[in-house]
Amino acid sequence: MKSLANKRILLGVTGGIAAYKSAELLRRLREQGAEVQVVMTRAACEFITPLTMQALAGRPVCMELLDHDNETGMGHIELARWSDVILIAPATANFIARLAHGMADDLLSTLCLATDAPIMVAPAMNRQMWCNPATQANISTILQREINILGPGDGEQACGERGPGRMLEPGQLLQAVGAIFENAMLAGKHIIVTAGPTREAIDPVRYISNRSSGKMGYAIARAAVEAGAAVTLVTGPVALPVPEQVSSVKVNTAKEMHDAVLSSAGSADIFIAAAAVTDYRCQDVAEQKIKKTGQSLSLELERNPDVLAAVASLGTPPFTVGFAAETELLKDNAIRKLEDKGLDMIAANLVGDGLAFETDDNALEVFWPGGSLSLPTAPKEKLARQLIHTIARNYYEKHSNKAH
Ligand code: CTP
């Protein structure tokens, strides 16, 4: 999956020896589907040729602020508006100083002033220069303006010294760029997540329930917060702390979960049903503890409301995502649930025999009308982020909207 598909990245290259790594960074950004416009300072051209960068970017490199040809095509203001993110790698001490002072004496510094896109800076310099109070003061100034500082790393330097000042590796920078898009992905959206098991009383001391630990649902709630959403977690009884910034509603029974979800589902943007809801409840709950009088005991059970199906059949339902916990025929059962319940998406996983319930790892097969995605075994935290990403993409596709 290309994590940066359709993203427009302006890659600024300034004059440091680490500029040779920018070529690899550029190649990897393109590999992930990004459109990349390279802007080089004059000094950068002493370290790596614009021709190399042009060939890798598949478009000419911009260098001059007052370039007659460019200003009639994509001028500096258009370029600033075009960018989804500006990544400056490497960023020299000199460039960071100019950024801190709001200089606009070349194309790259001007773009940084003219854009409202997030700016990410990957410093690269000799350790002494990095530690110098002047550089540190400049870093602290740009940090206050919410410019993202990536690194620098610590280690062997081109000048033969060891210490902080190495530019982060292209793979690390790539991850940071990916994260910036993920973070804003669901800003302003309200997501309801159900998690954990429900419990149906048999008598005052016994209940019917299942082995759900709630870990997957809680990880999803956390990932949704990371993606900028406002999250309501409707949770059955589990032994997990409520994640930060999540508002939680604690319930016991399926009926309580149904009522809590339905009270706000109409105004939610996305509903994710990760709970293992108990399908049946006792028709009559004994008022006193049941005594063992006979050789067998029969309990009359009745169906619980289906929370997910109820949300999906609302007049204007949120984007509705179900889970399918199966012990066999994963795909068939999942697709049947997707269709029967009228869902936008379903995430299916095998359960039982050390899989899914009460474990930290899981694997998901995700289906939606016209598509599917396999998310191989990984910690639930990681899977949750991947799932949130997939949900966001499909949500925006359905609403034919741009992520932010
Ligand atoms: N679900 C729900 N309310 C119920 C039962 C299930 O909201 N009363 C949701 C679950 O949270 C899950 C999806 O429906 O997102 C599928 O749950 P699952 O237990 O796999 O399937 P069921 O619909 O209960 O069907 P079956 O038990 O026959 O497999």
Side-chain angles (χ1 to χ4, degrees):
M1 189 178 50
K2 297 195 172 187
S3 60
L4 296 174
N6 304 323
K7 300 289 184 250
R8 295 163 158 188
I9 297 171
L10 192 142
L11 176 60
V13 184
T14 71
I17 181 63
Y20 77 92
K21 290 190 196 171
S22 311
E24 170 68 2
L25 173 61
L26 168 54
R27 195 186 64 74
R28 302 211 25 201
L29 289 168
R30 295 265 291 150
E31 213 169 65
Q32 288 306 315
E35 272 185 72
V36 186
Q37 173 63 59
V38 179
V39 175
M40 295 173 74
T41 61
R42 282 210 194 123
C45 303
E46 301 290 333
F47 292 90
I48 185 163
T49 73
L51 196 60
T52 304
M53 300 305 271
Q54 170 173 324
L56 291 169
R59 58 205 296 163
V61 170
C62 295
M63 282 172 290
E64 298 300 337
L65 179 56
L66 303 173
D67 178 324
H68 292 277
D69 291 337
N70 270 338
E71 287 294 319
T72 53
M74 181 130 65
H76 66 276
I77 298 294
E78 282 98 304
L79 209 48
R81 287 191 191 134
W82 173 90
S83 315
D84 287 323
V85 67
I86 294 185
L87 168 64
I88 300 157
T92 58
N94 179 50
F95 187 80
I96 290 168
R98 287 170 44 231
L99 196 57
H101 287 87
M103 307 280 280
D105 56 352
D106 69 356
L107 180 59
L108 190 55
S109 55
T110 306
L111 289 172
C112 292
L113 278 187
T115 192
D116 60 7
I119 300 176
M120 309 177 87
V121 167
M125 64 197 76
N126 158 275
R127 67 172 181 88
Q128 204 75 44
M129 291 170 75
W130 171 253
C131 295
N132 190 294
T135 304
Q136 289 306 308
N138 290 331
I139 288 288
S140 124
T141 303
I142 64 175
L143 266 175
Q144 281 163 33
R145 293 191 205 128
E146 298 191 353
I147 289 178
N148 301 275
I149 313 291
L150 312 174
D154 207 317
E156 195 82 44
Q157 300 206 302
C159 51
E161 297 186 16
R162 280 191 75 83
R166 273 169 66 97
M167 186 170 91
L168 292 187
E169 293 305 316
Q172 294 171 297
L173 296 176
L174 194 69
Q175 259 184 18
V177 173
I180 212 157
F181 290 114
E182 280 171 29
N183 283 345
M185 226 167 25
L186 292 172
K189 304 293 169 211
H190 178 211
I191 302 189
I192 304 177
V193 181
T194 64
T198 61
R199 283 180 186 170
E200 307 297 335
I202 298 171
D203 66 18
V205 294
R206 304 182 178 98
Y207 54 77
I208 302 170
S209 191
N210 57 65
R211 291 167 54 191
S212 165
S213 64
K215 282 181 184 164
M216 193 68 222
Y218 274 57
I220 288 170
R222 212 172 294 121
V225 165
E226 276 171 22
V231 179
T232 306
L233 179 65
V234 181
T235 172
V238 296
L240 297 171
V242 175
E244 273 177 35
Q245 296 175 55
V246 165
S247 96
S248 76
V249 181
K250 295 191 174 159
V251 298
N252 266 305
T253 66
K255 177 83 177 53
E256 287 168 9
M257 183 169 277
H258 172 273
D259 294 351
V261 169
L262 269 289
S263 71
S264 55
S267 60
D269 299 291
I270 298 173
F271 173 60
I272 306 172
V277 185
T278 311
D279 288 325
Y280 293 90
R281 64 173 178 267
C282 290
Q283 210 158 35
D284 299 302
V285 178
E287 277 179 28
Q288 304 300 332
K289 186 178 169 213
I290 299 172
K291 292 293 178 190
K292 54 172 184 300
T293 47
Q295 281 308 315
S296 66
L297 173 72
S298 296
L299 295 170
E300 194 72 39
L301 303 179
E302 62 185 6
R303 275 282 278 275
N304 265 327
D306 189 313
V307 186
L308 179 60
V311 171
S313 60
L314 287 172
T316 44
F319 186 92
T320 306
V321 183
F323 269 74
E326 307 295 343
T327 54
E328 58 174 354
L329 301 173
L330 186 77
K331 183 174 177 184
D332 292 352
N333 282 326
I335 297 211
R336 186 177 46 75
K337 284 177 191 173
L338 179 78
E339 289 169 357
D340 288 355
K341 298 195 191 192
L343 310 179
D344 292 298
M345 185 180 277
I346 194 151
N349 58 289
L350 286 170
V351 290
D353 205 17
L355 289 168
F357 281 179
E358 299 166 327
T359 65
D360 290 330
D361 287 0
N362 202 359
L364 295 174
E365 295 290 329
V366 189
F367 303 95
W368 58 90
S372 67
L373 176 70
S374 288
L375 299 176
T377 306
K380 286 178 177 171
E381 299 293 330
K382 181 173 175 193
L383 272 184
R385 281 192 212 107
Q386 294 171 329
L387 183 64
I388 283 291
H389 202 117
T390 311
I391 291 171
R393 279 215 328 266
N394 281 267
Y395 168 83
Y396 286 112
E397 204 167 298
K398 185 174 177 189
H399 294 268
S400 57
N401 224 326
K402 227 188 143 202
H404 57 275

